Amino acid sequence: QVQLVESGGGLVQPGGSLRLSCAASGFIFSSYAMNWYRQVPGKERELVAAITSAGASRNYADAVKDRFTISRDDARNTAFLQMNSLKPEDTAVYYCNANSPWELGRRYIYWGQGTQVTVSS
């Protein structure tokens, strides 16, 4: 069955770094676009970073540009989010998301369970 399992979250001081991982199984990982979202209580879930199935295109929210890097390793069915120069406002639950190509008017969308990132001194 389909699974997306995030790991790598934790407590870090402002200015520090964390590397999140998303281990995928149960679908053809290489054909899916991968995304990282984050959410804090009382706010909408927001897209942080995205990478295409081919890996040729990456996009980032303005708030994290030049600090975060999304990547993928299709041989390991794993997506990553490298987070540098972390700020307290980056504190959130981070979710891994997988989107299949559109086909016959539909696509498959899968979500991980989330991993907590807390940036605090």
Side-chain angles (χ1 to χ4, degrees), residues 17-20 67-71 80-84:
S17 298
L18 284 174
R19 182 176 175 86
L20 305 184
R67 298 190 297 119
F68 290 12
T69 302
I70 188 171
S71 61
F80 303 94
L81 185 68
Q82 179 67 46
M83 305 185 294
N84 299 325

Side-chain angles (χ1 to χ4, degrees), residues 16-50:
S17 298
L18 284 174
R19 182 176 175 86
L20 305 184
S21 297
C22 174
S25 60
F27 62 97
I28 304 174
F29 179 84
S30 61
S31 70
Y32 279 60
M34 298 299 298
N35 310 287
W36 287 95
Y37 287 76
R38 67 185 181 188
Q39 188 169 28
V40 299
K43 294 187 64 178
E44 297 293 320
R45 188 172 298 187
E46 64 174 342
L47 179 64
V48 175

Side-chain angles (χ1 to χ4, degrees), residues 5-18:
V5 181
E6 300 98 332
S7 62
L11 176 64
V12 64
Q13 294 185 346
S17 298
L18 284 174

Side-chain angles (χ1 to χ4, degrees), residues 24-109:
S25 60
F27 62 97
I28 304 174
F29 179 84
S30 61
S31 70
Y32 279 60
M34 298 299 298
N35 310 287
W36 287 95
Y37 287 76
R38 67 185 181 188
Q39 188 169 28
V40 299
K43 294 187 64 178
E44 297 293 320
R45 188 172 298 187
E46 64 174 342
L47 179 64
V48 175
I51 186 168
T52 63
S53 59
S57 180
R58 300 172 181 177
N59 291 283
Y60 301 93
D62 288 343
V64 307
K65 285 182 178 177
D66 302 319
R67 298 190 297 119
F68 290 12
T69 302
I70 188 171
S71 61
R72 63 191 298 156
D73 185 342
D74 288 350
R76 298 169 57 195
N77 285 1
T78 305
F80 303 94
L81 185 68
Q82 179 67 46
M83 305 185 294
N84 299 325
S85 301
L86 283 162
K87 306 175 184 296
E89 51 263 43
D90 295 319
T91 296
V93 177
Y94 284 72
Y95 296 91
C96 180
N97 163 270
N99 287 184
S100 77
W102 285 97
E103 187 172 347
L104 300 176
R106 64 170 291 177
R107 65 174 175 178
Y108 298 93
I109 303 174

